[in-house]
């Protein structure tokens, strides 16, 4: 027998719309919420008053007057602005990468309260990683006098290179994190656990941290490492794009008949722009005599060379280094131009590039030279750094157990249904 939408589901949908509108646009009045969501003022008032009583929302003061075209002040009372209560509950996040495991605690506004990290290498076991996340979570909750009832959940992002080690497998074409989720959830004091692909979550976190600046644009997120990972976020923030685009992008040709790496095509993104590929390019001229500044800065270890250091060496007069940098930046410019065109991106977010403010300016200068102003102006640095990668996991927990539930956690929903019956 078919049935219509339940009152609880309708309530959750309306609450979801309110929360998303506030998060995306920033503090907003009930009048503007009513207009934006096409919900009556009476319903909005009743809904938001309930959410204020529950502690989800706060009235943060009056909106400033906006002068009318006739230069007169508007009549009537000032609008009262609503915002999400940053301390309604707290959120935990963790990122599992090949170099480091990071765990952190933050508020609903992604303000960092605590963080911890553990180095990771080829010998770090799955058991050690899980135990570190559990112990770090327990310590942070204890230090802040929190129980699992005070925490929305912990979001755990797994970098693609760590997926096999963490026993995350494909099931019906989709990554199945159930075994990892269960291993973390077995700890009695653990809040709800949500797991996902770290690359997509880092892209999501960058948009969340910008709030109203970037929500309405197509975003392309580029993570540099042993692989070049690509995530695409559209205004609806679908999480289905990452795997396809990342794999295809790495195999795209950006320099015909260029370098080869593993089983990738010659001149592909992976063969030209992965960290190992860029280090292999500089290795051909790297020596104490030919690149004295770069050699000294890296203590003679080619594995320590970064793009930032190449920029510094070029500025210091390492001519051979300058030649390699120009070639690398030509390839980056081709890739970025193609990403902007293919995905109609208004922003391209660079993550894990290790660039200082001056280094980022150099990067944009080269892109402007080789790809034009239009592409260069779309490039921005990631809002999260290596030590704050865990904010990507926090974004997942917020999305899954707050925004997508209208602030009604699943356990609460189940209890409401029991009471109703």
């Amino acid at each position: 027998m078919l049935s219509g939408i339940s009152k609880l589901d309708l309530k959750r949908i309306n609450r979801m719309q309110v929360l998303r509108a506030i998060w995306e646009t920033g503090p907003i009045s009930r009048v503007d919420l009513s207009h934006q969501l096409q919900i009556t003022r009476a319903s909005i008032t009743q809904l938001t008053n309930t959410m204020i009583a529950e502690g989800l929302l706060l009235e943060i003061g009056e909106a400033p007057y906006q002068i009318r075209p006739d230069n007169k002040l508007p009549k009537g009372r000032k609008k009262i602005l609503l915002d999400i209560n940053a301390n309604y509950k707290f959120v935990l996040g963790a990122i599992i990468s090949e170099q480091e495991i990071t765990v952190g605690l933050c508020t609903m506004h992604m303000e960092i309260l605590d963080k911890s990290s553990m180095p990771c290498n080829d010998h770090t076991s799955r058991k050690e990683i899980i135990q570190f996340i559990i112990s770090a979570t327990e310590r942070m909750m204890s230090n802040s006098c929190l129980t699992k009832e005070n925490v929305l959940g912990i979001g755990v992002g797994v970098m693609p290179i760590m997926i096999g080690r963490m026993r995350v497998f494909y099931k019906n074409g989709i990554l199945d994190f159930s075994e990892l989720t269960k291993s973390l959830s077995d700890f009695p004091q653990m809040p709800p656990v949500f797991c996902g692909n770290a690359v997509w979550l880092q892209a999501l976190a960058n948009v969340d941290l910008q709030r109203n600046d970037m929500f309405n644009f197509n975003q392309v997120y580029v993570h540099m490492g042993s692989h070049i990972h690509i995530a695409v976020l559209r205004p609806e923030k679908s999480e289905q794009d990452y795997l396809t685009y990342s794999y295809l992008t790495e195999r795209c040709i950006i320099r015909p008949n260029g370098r080869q790496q593993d089983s990738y095509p010659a001149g592909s993104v992976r063969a030209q722009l992965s960290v190992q590929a860029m280090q292999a390019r500089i290795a051909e001229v790297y020596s104490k005599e030919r690149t004295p500044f770069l050699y000294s800065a890296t203590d003679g270890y080619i594995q320590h060379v970064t793009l930032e250091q190449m920029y510094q060496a070029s500025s210091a007069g390492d001519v051979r280094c300058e030649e390699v940098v120009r070639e690398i930046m030509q390839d980056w410019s081709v890739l970025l131009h193609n990403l902007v065109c293919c995905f109609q991106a208004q922003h391209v977010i660079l993550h894990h590039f290790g660039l200082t403010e001056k280094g980022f300016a150099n990067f944009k200068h080269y892109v402007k030279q080789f790809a034009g102003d239009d592409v260069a102006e779309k490039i921005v640095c990631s809002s999260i750094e290596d030590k704050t990668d865990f904010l990507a996991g926090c974004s997942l927990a917020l999305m899954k157990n707050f925004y997508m539930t209208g602030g009604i956690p699943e356990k609460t929903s189940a209890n409401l249904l029991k009471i109703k019956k």
Side-chain angles (χ1 to χ4, degrees):
M1 180 178 176
L2 297 176
S3 59
I5 187 169
S6 69
K7 289 184 177 180
L8 179 61
D9 287 337
L10 181 60
K11 176 182 178 182
R12 182 185 289 113
I13 290 170
N14 287 338
R15 290 165 64 112
M16 284 171 58
Q17 291 185 76
V18 169
L19 292 176
R20 174 157 181 159
I22 294 174
W23 186 246
E24 292 184 1
T25 63
I28 189 172
S29 69
R30 292 176 176 84
V31 173
D32 293 333
L33 267 177
S34 173
H35 178 73
Q36 182 174 327
L37 301 179
Q38 296 297 298
I39 299 175
T40 65
R41 291 190 187 183
S43 297
I44 284 291
T45 298
Q46 182 180 14
L47 188 60
T48 54
N49 285 349
T50 300
M51 296 170 78
I52 289 172
E54 293 172 2
L56 277 73
L57 301 181
L58 286 175
E59 291 183 342
I60 62 169
E62 298 177 339
Y65 277 131
Q66 294 183 346
I67 303 299
R68 300 189 317 194
D70 57 6
N71 292 324
K72 293 183 179 180
L73 290 174
K75 297 180 180 179
R77 293 181 297 177
K78 283 188 176 181
K79 298 176 181 178
I80 302 298
L81 296 177
L82 301 174
D83 200 1
I84 293 166
N85 182 1
N87 298 317
Y88 164 63
K89 288 195 177 180
F90 299 88
V91 193
L92 285 153
I95 291 294
I96 301 172
S97 73
E98 67 270 32
Q99 296 176 329
E100 194 172 41
I101 315 300
T102 60
V103 182
L105 174 72
C106 71
T107 69
M108 300 284 289
H109 283 183
M110 307 281 275
E111 298 157 332
I112 297 172
L113 302 175
D114 201 351
K115 60 182 178 180
S116 182
S117 63
M118 179 185 80
C120 185
N121 55 45
D122 293 340
H123 304 293
T124 308
S125 69
R126 176 179 183 271
K127 183 177 179 181
E128 289 174 312
I129 293 171
I130 290 175
Q131 185 55 49
F132 172 72
I133 293 174
I134 290 174
S135 61
T137 296
E138 182 181 28
R139 178 184 61 78
M140 290 178 191
M141 290 174 63
S142 176
N143 289 347
S144 298
C145 300
L146 299 175
T147 66
K148 62 181 181 181
E149 285 72 28
N150 305 126
V151 181
L152 275 177
I154 178 170
V156 181
V158 184
M159 289 299 294
I161 199 169
M162 298 294 286
I163 280 174
R165 196 186 310 187
M166 299 312 296
R167 298 181 191 170
V168 176
F169 306 106
Y170 282 98
K171 187 175 182 180
N172 299 324
I174 300 174
L175 287 172
D176 181 9
F177 291 90
S178 58
E179 189 171 340
L180 175 59
T181 302
K182 183 180 183 303
S183 297
L184 290 167
S185 300
D186 284 342
F187 177 62
Q189 300 305 315
M190 205 71 168
V193 179
F194 307 93
C195 298
N197 187 300
V199 175
W200 176 70
L201 296 180
Q202 287 165 350
L204 176 68
N206 270 279
V207 178
D208 283 348
L209 286 166
Q210 296 296 328
R211 295 190 75 173
N212 57 319
D213 290 334
M214 298 174 72
F215 265 107
N216 297 320
F217 304 119
N218 289 346
Q219 315 291 324
V220 175
Y221 170 87
V222 183
H223 174 94
M224 183 171 73
S226 55
H227 290 264
I228 305 296
H229 294 298
I230 305 293
V232 177
L233 279 176
R234 305 185 188 281
E236 62 272 16
K237 296 194 296 186
S238 167
E239 60 180 304
Q240 304 302 318
D241 294 328
Y242 159 69
L243 291 172
T244 299
Y245 293 145
S246 186
Y247 174 76
L248 291 177
T249 300
E250 282 207 313
R251 304 187 71 83
C252 286
I253 307 298
I254 53 175
R255 185 175 287 271
N257 301 316
R259 296 169 179 268
Q260 288 186 310
Q261 188 181 83
D262 303 329
S263 58
Y264 287 80
S268 64
V269 169
R270 171 76 184 277
Q272 298 289 133
L273 295 177
S274 65
V275 169
Q276 293 86 344
M278 290 194 291
Q279 289 174 344
R281 294 166 90 163
I282 198 67
E284 295 173 359
V285 299
Y286 182 78
S287 71
K288 191 174 183 178
E289 294 74 26
R290 290 183 291 181
T291 57
F293 181 91
L294 185 62
Y295 191 88
S296 174
T298 56
D299 297 321
Y301 290 96
I302 190 68
Q303 298 85 356
H304 294 173
V305 173
T306 64
L307 192 57
E308 173 72 27
Q309 289 170 329
M310 292 187 205
Y311 291 148
Q312 294 174 1
S314 298
S315 300
D318 282 0
V319 178
R320 301 299 296 274
C321 187
E322 165 66 14
E323 295 171 358
V324 176
V325 167
R326 287 185 63 82
E327 184 180 292
I328 289 173
M329 290 309 304
Q330 284 175 348
D331 293 343
W332 271 114
S333 298
V334 171
L335 173 59
L336 295 173
H337 177 270
N338 290 345
L339 291 175
V340 168
C341 293
C342 288
F343 300 111
Q344 298 180 327
Q346 280 74 36
H347 291 100
V348 179
I349 305 166
L350 307 183
H351 180 68
H352 201 57
F353 278 63
L355 298 175
T356 63
E357 186 175 341
K358 185 175 180 181
F360 179 62
N362 284 331
F363 189 96
K364 291 189 70 171
H365 172 76
Y366 280 112
V367 173
K368 182 177 180 179
Q369 182 180 350
F370 295 123
D373 292 348
D374 186 54
V375 176
E377 289 171 0
K378 298 179 187 299
I379 302 170
V380 296
C381 275
S382 173
S383 298
I384 58 176
E385 302 172 356
D386 294 342
K387 296 295 183 181
T388 60
D389 271 356
F390 62 83
L391 289 173
C394 295
S395 283
L396 176 63
L398 276 168
M399 180 185 68
K400 292 288 189 180
N401 214 26
F402 187 68
Y403 294 109
M404 290 180 66
T405 65
I408 307 175
E410 291 303 320
K411 289 184 179 179
T412 305
S413 299
N415 291 337
L416 285 173
L417 285 172
K418 289 179 182 177
I419 292 171
K420 184 178 179 181
K421 289 180 180 179

